[in-house]
Amino acid sequence: MFGVTILGNNSAVPAHDRHPTAQAVTIAGEVLLLDCGEGTQMQIKNYHVKRSRITRIFISHLHGDHYFGLIGLISSMALINRTTPLHLYGPAPLKELIDLQLSVSDSILPYELIFHPLEGPAVLVQTAKYRIETFPVEHKIPCYGFLIRENHAPRKIDPDLTRQYEVPQAYFEKLQWGADYQTKDGRLLKNEMLTVPGRKNLSYAYCADTLFTDSFLPFIKQVDVLYHESTYLDDFAEQAKNRFHSTAKQAAMIAERAEVGRLLLGHFSSKFKGVQPFEAEARAVFPYTDLSQEGVTYLV
Amino acid sequence: MFGVTILGNNSAVPAHDRHPTAQAVTIAGEVLLLDCGEGTQMQIKNYHVKRSRITRIFISHLHGDHYFGLIGLISSMALINRTTPLHLYGPAPLKELIDLQLSVSDSILPYELIFHPLEGPAVLVQTAKYRIETFPVEHKIPCYGFLIRENHAPRKIDPDLTRQYEVPQAYFEKLQWGADYQTKDGRLLKNEMLTVPGRKNLSYAYCADTLFTDSFLPFIKQVDVLYHESTYLDDFAEQAKNRFHSTAKQAAMIAERAEVGRLLLGHFSSKFKGVQPFEAEARAVFPYTDLSQEGVTYLV
């Protein structure tokens, strides 16, 4: 199980106390940021996301409402003397932008910033605990979605057996992630002796900004939670199409076709003060729909 | 008389609900922005500063806490279809940065952005109603202060005479700014016949980030309100010096030497949760000192 904390659910111009796009995914003790609109470093603070635990930042595309907060966050990490390396994934020109911003302020980061340009569908990260893939979506400029999947859910410990073999509590996390255990008298206990398989591997797909399209359906098939943008209501379907965005109804159609567990809506246009109608419109097509709300952590 | 609204009074890392530097100067119906830290467009909204009235933006230097909010504001102005030209004053590399950010998002502004690179001391703007000068201060990277002076304060209308000559109310503002008036029967009344001189021309100096130094004293001499940074308390004078910043006591010493009317302190380091001690420290040297508080408009 992991969590997705919504830091911003509005589209381009901040309005109605809604912020530009950013999400914090907390998985296996790490925080992964998906997009980083202006003010993300303040939102992180407001919602008690641990800045020091951010290990990777993913930028879907170079429209400002998805990345203008990145340089501020990177700079603040430098000012508080971060030393842990930070991985940054984004469209290639992002590197030049960051380098230029650092150079005009005569700054050298005290930590390593490792840039990974996005291209085509690809596996970006594969750790013992999770796997992250990227896939292209369809927007005005190159834009990418991200799929986060637990690599294998933690195994369940058998409490009677661990007591019997006197396995110390400090070793439990290792057991959960598949390690074997050597007893005090040197006997090796295979992991399978002490644990049973855990839940299924859960997954979350973030589709950034996109036209209504089936093109990336194979990547999001049967994910547990899908975040799909819904900039407009369906009355504005024409405008949505012209601006390479989607409506709430279209998001719900994608959720249904992809057979996902749950749909989260977001990236609401500033023209809508209240966003409840988005939920109603989408639920008529796909009942397991919720509005993404800032400050709320959704469990996957 | 004009107003300075504080939008951010903190130094580098946002903390304690304080924001990075930005100020809105409202003068002669226009809004001038002094610096534009991350989140300025949200602060503008929070404090009801009219975005559409912003005519000029001044960036003192290219440390992020003074300009990371600029591109967001410029982009939002584009998204809401601004057509009025916008003047931007800042260190030369700012132009390249903005151009690059617009180009990666494939954006063309619907309004003219007129960039004026800062260099040496100079008069930047001279209108009928105000005059703006810039002067170098001493910081780690090139950094500029700004001096805003009413060009001539509005003249005072003589209500008996305007009644006698039946001058319509709609013409009063023109009279206040020096225009003559032609009566219905064609007689020209010189402005001096209908008005008397107003108050003296008031002035505001903003000194951005700077070392404790007398070098720019001639530029801020006898201004009515001086904003001088005080990143630290005097216990940290050594640290202030090393980082090209000032202490509250040093800011007060500058205010005293410059014989200003009033001192505003700001750019407080995140290491200080409460900032009342800054006021006490400065007032011991220069009694007419106040802390700049976010959301407050100080009258000049």
Side-chain angles (χ1 to χ4, degrees):
Chain A
M1 196 158 65
F2 57 101
V4 180
T5 306
I6 305 299
L7 302 172
N9 65 4
N10 207 58
S11 72
V13 182
H16 320 305
D17 274 325
R18 301 194 305 255
H19 294 74
T21 303
Q23 306 188 351
V25 176
T26 305
I27 188 166
E30 295 176 38
V31 174
L32 317 173
L33 271 192
L34 302 181
D35 281 334
C36 193
E38 182 175 357
T40 297
Q41 62 170 325
M42 287 84 155
Q43 291 291 82
I44 280 174
K45 203 147 207 168
N46 291 342
Y47 297 125
H48 310 289
V49 173
K50 286 231 183 301
R51 183 171 49 194
S52 60
R53 295 225 173 150
I54 298 172
T55 52
R56 305 173 195 277
I57 303 179
F58 301 83
I59 301 296
S60 64
H61 67 301
L62 296 182
H63 280 154
D65 57 322
H66 291 255
Y67 88 95
F68 282 165
L70 177 63
I71 182 67
L73 181 60
I74 285 176
S75 303
S76 289
M77 284 172 166
L79 289 164
I80 56 165
N81 290 316
R82 178 188 176 111
T83 51
T84 323
L86 178 69
H87 291 269
L88 175 63
Y89 307 78
L94 185 58
K95 174 85 167 58
E96 184 188 350
L97 260 172
I98 300 283
D99 287 347
L100 184 58
Q101 281 168 315
L102 293 174
S103 101
V104 298
S105 66
D106 216 3
S107 303
I108 293 167
L109 298 178
Y111 59 89
E112 199 185 355
L113 182 67
I114 303 151
F115 183 71
H116 308 264
L118 294 177
E119 227 181 318
V123 176
L124 298 177
V125 191
Q126 176 80 273
T127 76
K129 300 189 180 177
Y130 61 81
R131 170 190 169 95
I132 304 178
E133 290 175 54
T134 186
F135 52 90
V137 298
E138 295 191 26
H139 200 40
K140 252 191 190 158
I141 57 175
C143 185
Y144 297 85
F146 303 104
L147 172 66
I148 300 173
R149 191 183 295 276
E150 294 174 308
N151 208 19
H152 58 115
R155 295 178 66 87
K156 277 181 97 153
I157 290 168
D158 183 319
D160 294 330
L161 286 169
T162 48
R163 206 175 301 120
Q164 182 186 326
Y165 291 109
E166 297 177 1
V167 182
Q169 278 238 339
Y171 201 81
F172 279 17
E173 202 191 338
K174 284 188 179 155
L175 281 188
Q176 286 174 318
W177 294 104
D180 299 331
Y181 179 69
Q182 190 162 33
T183 61
K184 282 176 208 155
D185 52 11
R187 188 171 154 209
L188 187 75
L189 303 175
K190 297 297 285 179
N191 187 280
E192 297 73 35
M193 274 190 65
L194 299 166
T195 68
V196 293
R199 290 169 298 91
K200 73 159 188 155
N201 288 325
L202 297 169
S203 54
Y204 175 65
Y206 169 81
C207 301
D209 285 9
T210 185
L211 256 182
F212 174 48
T213 170
D214 280 346
S215 70
F216 54 85
L217 222 48
F219 296 98
I220 63 172
K221 200 83 186 172
Q222 293 183 336
V223 295
D224 295 284
V225 180
L226 168 72
Y227 173 95
H228 194 292
E229 70 128 291
S230 58
T231 307
Y232 300 100
L233 291 172
D234 216 52
D235 285 348
F236 298 86
E238 195 58 30
Q239 190 163 341
K241 194 177 166 189
N242 292 338
R243 300 187 178 184
F244 292 76
H245 284 301
S246 305
T247 70
K249 185 181 170 189
Q250 293 168 345
M253 288 165 74
I254 295 294
E256 198 194 25
R257 292 178 198 170
E259 300 165 24
V260 308
R262 185 182 185 186
L263 168 65
L264 282 179
L265 298 177
H267 202 265
F268 307 116
S269 162
S270 303
K271 83 161 71 196
F272 302 99
K273 190 165 183 203
V275 292
Q276 278 303 328
F278 285 76
E279 195 171 74
E281 180 176 296
R283 281 187 181 174
V285 175
F286 186 78
Y288 313 107
T289 301
D290 290 291
L291 302 175
S292 65
Q293 293 181 60
E294 294 188 6
V296 173
T297 299
Y298 298 87
L299 292 180
V300 178
Chain B
M1 195 159 63
F2 57 100
V4 180
T5 306
I6 305 298
L7 302 172
N9 65 4
N10 207 59
S11 72
V13 182
H16 320 305
D17 274 324
R18 301 195 304 256
H19 294 75
T21 303
Q23 306 187 352
V25 176
T26 305
I27 188 166
E30 295 176 38
V31 174
L32 317 173
L33 271 192
L34 303 180
D35 281 335
C36 192
E38 183 175 355
T40 296
Q41 62 170 326
M42 287 84 154
Q43 291 291 83
I44 281 174
K45 202 145 207 170
N46 291 342
Y47 297 125
H48 309 289
V49 173
K50 286 234 184 295
R51 185 172 49 193
S52 60
R53 295 226 172 149
I54 297 172
T55 52
R56 303 171 195 278
I57 303 179
F58 301 83
I59 301 296
S60 64
H61 67 300
L62 296 182
H63 281 154
D65 57 322
H66 293 254
Y67 88 95
F68 283 166
L70 177 63
I71 182 67
L73 180 60
I74 286 176
S75 303
S76 288
M77 285 171 166
L79 288 165
I80 56 165
N81 291 316
R82 177 187 177 111
T83 52
T84 323
L86 178 69
H87 291 269
L88 175 63
Y89 306 78
L94 185 57
K95 174 84 167 60
E96 185 188 348
L97 261 172
I98 300 283
D99 287 347
L100 184 58
Q101 281 169 315
L102 293 175
S103 101
V104 298
S105 65
D106 216 2
S107 302
I108 293 167
L109 298 177
Y111 60 90
E112 198 186 354
L113 182 67
I114 304 151
F115 183 71
H116 308 264
L118 294 176
E119 225 181 318
V123 176
L124 298 178
V125 190
Q126 176 80 273
T127 77
K129 301 190 179 176
Y130 61 81
R131 171 189 167 95
I132 303 178
E133 291 174 54
T134 186
F135 52 90
V137 298
E138 296 192 23
H139 200 41
K140 252 192 190 157
I141 58 175
C143 185
Y144 297 85
F146 303 104
L147 172 65
I148 300 172
R149 192 183 294 276
E150 293 174 307
N151 208 19
H152 59 115
R155 296 179 64 87
K156 276 181 98 155
I157 290 169
D158 183 319
D160 294 333
L161 286 169
T162 47
R163 206 174 302 121
Q164 183 185 324
Y165 290 109
E166 296 179 0
V167 182
Q169 279 237 340
Y171 202 79
F172 280 16
E173 202 191 337
K174 284 189 178 155
L175 281 188
Q176 286 174 318
W177 293 102
D180 300 330
Y181 179 68
Q182 192 163 30
T183 62
K184 283 176 206 157
D185 52 10
R187 189 172 152 205
L188 187 74
L189 303 175
K190 298 296 285 180
N191 187 279
E192 295 74 34
M193 275 190 64
L194 300 166
T195 68
V196 293
R199 289 169 299 90
K200 73 161 188 153
N201 288 326
L202 297 169
S203 54
Y204 175 66
Y206 169 81
C207 301
D209 284 10
T210 185
L211 256 183
F212 173 48
T213 170
D214 280 347
S215 70
F216 54 84
L217 222 47
F219 294 100
I220 62 172
K221 200 82 186 175
Q222 294 183 335
V223 295
D224 295 284
V225 180
L226 169 71
Y227 174 95
H228 194 293
E229 70 128 294
S230 58
T231 308
Y232 299 100
L233 291 171
D234 215 52
D235 286 349
F236 298 86
E238 194 59 29
Q239 190 162 342
K241 194 177 165 189
N242 292 337
R243 300 187 178 183
F244 292 75
H245 284 301
S246 306
T247 71
K249 186 180 171 190
Q250 292 167 345
M253 288 165 75
I254 295 295
E256 198 194 24
R257 290 178 198 172
E259 301 164 21
V260 306
R262 184 182 185 187
L263 169 65
L264 282 180
L265 298 177
H267 201 264
F268 307 115
S269 163
S270 302
K271 82 161 70 197
F272 303 99
K273 189 165 183 204
V275 293
Q276 278 304 327
F278 285 76
E279 193 171 73
E281 180 177 294
R283 281 188 180 175
V285 175
F286 186 78
Y288 313 107
T289 301
D290 290 292
L291 303 174
S292 66
Q293 292 180 60
E294 294 187 7
V296 174
T297 298
Y298 297 86
L299 292 181
V300 178

